[in-house]
Amino acid sequence: MLNKLREKIITEAQVFGEIVKIDHFLNHQIDTQLLDEVGVDIAKEFPNATKILTIETSGIAFASSVARTLDYLPLVFAKKVESSITTGEYYLSKTYSFTKKREYSVRVDKRFISENDKVLIVDDFLANGEAASSLIDIVNQAGAEVVGIGIVVEKGFQKGRKVLEEKGHKVYSCSIIERVENGQVYMK
Ligand code: 5GP
């Protein structure tokens, strides 16, 4: 757990229903000191990873921080696709956006994940586990191994952790929001 992140969420987060907004240090403007600390915090849990996988857009900076900490591992980010592609050059997976409330697909070029890879999945938020599940699906399609899932902010009141742990994966989060109530966040 990262204390600085925990404190910042308690004092600075805005809450809209189940959506937690921290775009002044994580999702739009980035606190780059915190970025480095997140990289170290997640990296120490998954020393055996050989590749980092995330999903555009907000996950990329944090995944890059983890990748640099793990001796400059390659970082791949899944791209969002609006239309269907069937070229066979990509691993494709459908997912559902919690914030946008709609389905979309993500793709990763087949050249960038191979069956020898031990893949650490990194994302900014964990809610219902949809984004992480689609990345797991892509790693499985490639015949590679998922070493775990590293998350910056987990919303513990949603089912994401359960979904991912039931698939047999280790989940590590730098911070966990236990509940939100009347616009206030309560951390674990
Ligand atoms: P999940 O796929 O686990 O349901 O949701 C995680 C994804 O949705 C993350 O990639 C993140 O971009 C977005 N997300 C989910 N909940 C929140 C939230 O409360 N705040 C923000 N900023 N993004 C969220």
Side-chain angles (χ1 to χ4, degrees):
M1 291 268 180
L2 270 184
N3 277 335
K4 178 181 169 189
L5 174 61
R6 188 177 177 278
E7 293 307 314
K8 265 178 101 70
I9 294 171
I10 292 170
T11 53
E12 300 176 24
Q14 290 179 291
V15 181
F16 301 94
E18 288 191 319
I19 302 274
V20 177
K21 199 172 172 199
I22 45 175
D23 62 358
H24 60 297
F25 69 88
L26 195 129
N27 291 114
H28 192 7
Q29 173 171 261
I30 294 176
D31 177 332
T32 54
Q33 188 177 3
L34 190 66
L35 182 77
D36 282 357
E37 291 172 12
V38 163
V40 172
D41 195 45
I42 293 179
K44 73 177 185 341
E45 298 291 321
F46 303 99
N48 298 328
T50 63
K51 189 162 275 189
I52 309 296
L53 177 65
T54 188
I55 190 165
E56 64 179 1
T57 307
S58 295
I60 297 175
F62 291 90
S64 164
S65 183
V66 179
R68 291 196 307 273
T69 308
L70 287 171
D71 215 8
Y72 299 98
L73 290 181
L75 159 66
V76 179
F77 61 93
K79 296 189 171 212
K80 295 173 183 168
V81 274
E82 301 296 335
S83 56
S84 58
I85 40 171
T86 51
T87 58
E89 293 166 21
Y90 300 103
Y91 298 117
L92 284 169
S93 187
K94 269 209 180 97
T95 188
Y96 181 81
S97 168
F98 176 76
T99 46
K100 299 197 173 79
K101 306 281 180 233
R102 64 179 169 82
E103 245 189 17
Y104 63 99
S105 293
V106 290
R107 67 176 162 94
V108 170
D109 191 305
K110 287 186 176 173
R111 291 175 299 157
F112 301 141
I113 304 184
S114 72
E115 59 186 17
N116 301 322
D117 283 321
K118 295 179 189 303
V119 181
L120 168 59
I121 292 169
V122 175
D123 205 2
D124 58 344
F125 271 88
L126 176 65
N128 291 321
E130 293 278 347
S133 291
S134 65
L135 296 179
I136 291 169
D137 179 29
I138 282 174
V139 175
N140 288 340
Q141 288 179 46
E145 182 191 335
V146 175
V147 295
I149 296 112
I151 297 289
V152 185
V153 184
E154 174 181 341
K155 294 191 292 179
F157 54 91
Q158 291 183 265
K159 65 176 188 212
R161 174 178 289 272
K162 188 165 181 282
V163 167
L164 302 177
E165 286 181 345
E166 277 176 4
K167 290 180 204 274
H169 300 298
K170 171 178 170 176
V171 179
Y172 174 75
S173 302
C174 301
S175 63
I176 302 178
I177 299 174
E178 212 161 56
R179 64 194 160 96
V180 290
E181 218 173 81
N182 300 325
Q184 188 74 30
V185 292
Y186 296 87
M187 307 295 294
K188 196 165 173 182

